[in-house]
């Protein structure tokens, strides 16, 4: 059956918010869909990440984070029906980059783009020939451990890998022919 609204002027949604990576908003009376747009506002405001019409009152931007750069973005929503498009309501989203510095060993995990105030994902342990991975740290000297479950990203951040050179114990077996030299500890 048809959906009719008499003399209803579309308004902006009263509430627009962010939960995790999902934008959500209140229903607008008379709307049958919503035009949503995500644009970069600084430093280059001419970049549009997406613009589409949807029927839901929420949209997860997680799939777009990988292709975004650090910066400030405007997410806007406009109520629509077959007659008009209502005024836009905007929400600023601050994106921060988390890069991983391997301190010269192993292969660096891919950079992560994170909504400011959220946690980065732990990329896991690295491997490198002759070294043992010792975790992720806030500083290049690897004195302050980075805890992915606690640390909230508020600015572009570099996290550093800690490495320990592997050591090997060498024993000599002279097979009963004289005295064997003492064991030696050799670094990789």
């Amino acid at each position: 059956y048809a959906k009719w609204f008499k003399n209803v002027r579309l308004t902006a949604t009263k509430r627009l918010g962010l939960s995790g990576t999902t934008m959500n908003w209140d229903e607008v009376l008379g709307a049958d869909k919503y035009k949503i747009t995500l644009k970069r506002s600084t430093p280059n405001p001419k970049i549009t990440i997406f613009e589409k019409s949807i029927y839901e009152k929420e949209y997860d931007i997680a799939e777009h984070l990988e292709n975004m750069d650090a910066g400030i973005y405007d997410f806007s929503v406009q109520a629509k029906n077959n007659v008009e498009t209502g005024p836009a309501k905007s929400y600023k989203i601050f994106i921060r980059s988390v890069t991983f510095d391997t301190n010269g060993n192993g292969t660096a995990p891919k950079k992560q783009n994170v909504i400011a105030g959220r946690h980065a994902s732990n990329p896991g342990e690295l491997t490198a020939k002759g070294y043992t991975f010792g975790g992720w740290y806030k500083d290049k000297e690897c004195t302050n451990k980075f805890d992915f479950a606690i640390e909230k990203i508020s600015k572009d951040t570099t996290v550093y890998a800690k490495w320990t050179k592997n050591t090997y114990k060498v024993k000599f077996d002279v097979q009963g022919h004289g005295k064997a030299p003492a064991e030696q500890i050799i670094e990789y």
Side-chain angles (χ1 to χ4, degrees):
Y1 61 90
K3 184 176 181 182
W4 295 91
F5 295 95
K6 187 175 180 181
N7 297 326
V8 174
R9 296 287 303 164
L10 292 178
T11 62
T13 183
K14 291 186 183 347
R15 184 194 56 80
L16 175 60
L18 179 66
S19 176
T21 58
T22 301
M23 297 299 305
N24 50 66
W25 52 92
D26 290 334
E27 183 175 5
V28 175
L29 182 64
D32 57 12
K33 59 185 167 183
Y34 299 92
K35 177 183 172 187
I36 58 173
T37 307
L38 182 62
K39 290 184 178 183
R40 185 166 185 162
S41 57
T42 63
N44 184 350
K46 299 204 184 311
I47 298 173
T48 298
I49 306 304
F50 65 79
E51 182 173 285
K52 55 180 78 178
S53 289
I54 64 171
Y55 296 98
E56 298 81 17
K57 294 181 307 234
E58 65 180 28
Y59 186 80
D60 191 346
I61 64 169
E63 70 181 85
H64 302 284
L65 287 174
E66 185 177 313
N67 300 319
M68 296 165 69
D69 292 321
I72 302 171
Y73 293 79
D74 286 316
F75 180 92
S76 66
V77 61
Q78 292 176 277
K80 291 180 74 172
N81 61 29
N82 61 349
V83 177
E84 67 177 322
T85 300
K89 177 105 174 185
S90 293
Y91 186 95
K92 289 220 180 289
I93 301 172
F94 297 85
I95 303 295
R96 303 297 180 231
S97 291
V98 178
T99 54
F100 300 93
D101 185 324
T102 63
N103 265 329
N105 295 300
T107 302
K110 190 167 50 170
K111 171 187 84 165
Q112 294 179 19
N113 291 321
V114 179
I115 296 171
R118 306 295 196 276
H119 302 281
S121 298
N122 187 334
E125 292 193 9
L126 301 181
T127 58
K129 187 175 181 180
Y131 291 86
T132 299
F133 179 72
W136 293 104
Y137 285 77
K138 296 177 187 181
D139 56 314
K140 192 156 185 69
E141 296 76 28
C142 298
T143 58
N144 296 308
K145 192 125 174 114
F146 188 92
D147 188 334
F148 288 89
I150 295 173
E151 304 289 339
K152 291 186 177 180
I153 305 302
S154 61
K155 61 183 181 180
D156 292 344
T157 303
T158 301
V159 183
Y160 300 89
K162 180 177 182 177
W163 299 97
T164 304
K165 277 187 182 179
N166 291 342
T167 57
Y168 303 93
K169 186 186 288 188
V170 179
K171 290 183 180 184
F172 298 92
D173 182 355
V174 292
Q175 310 257 331
H177 301 286
K179 184 176 176 182
E183 286 183 358
Q184 294 181 17
I185 304 294
I186 307 293
E187 280 189 344
Y188 176 79

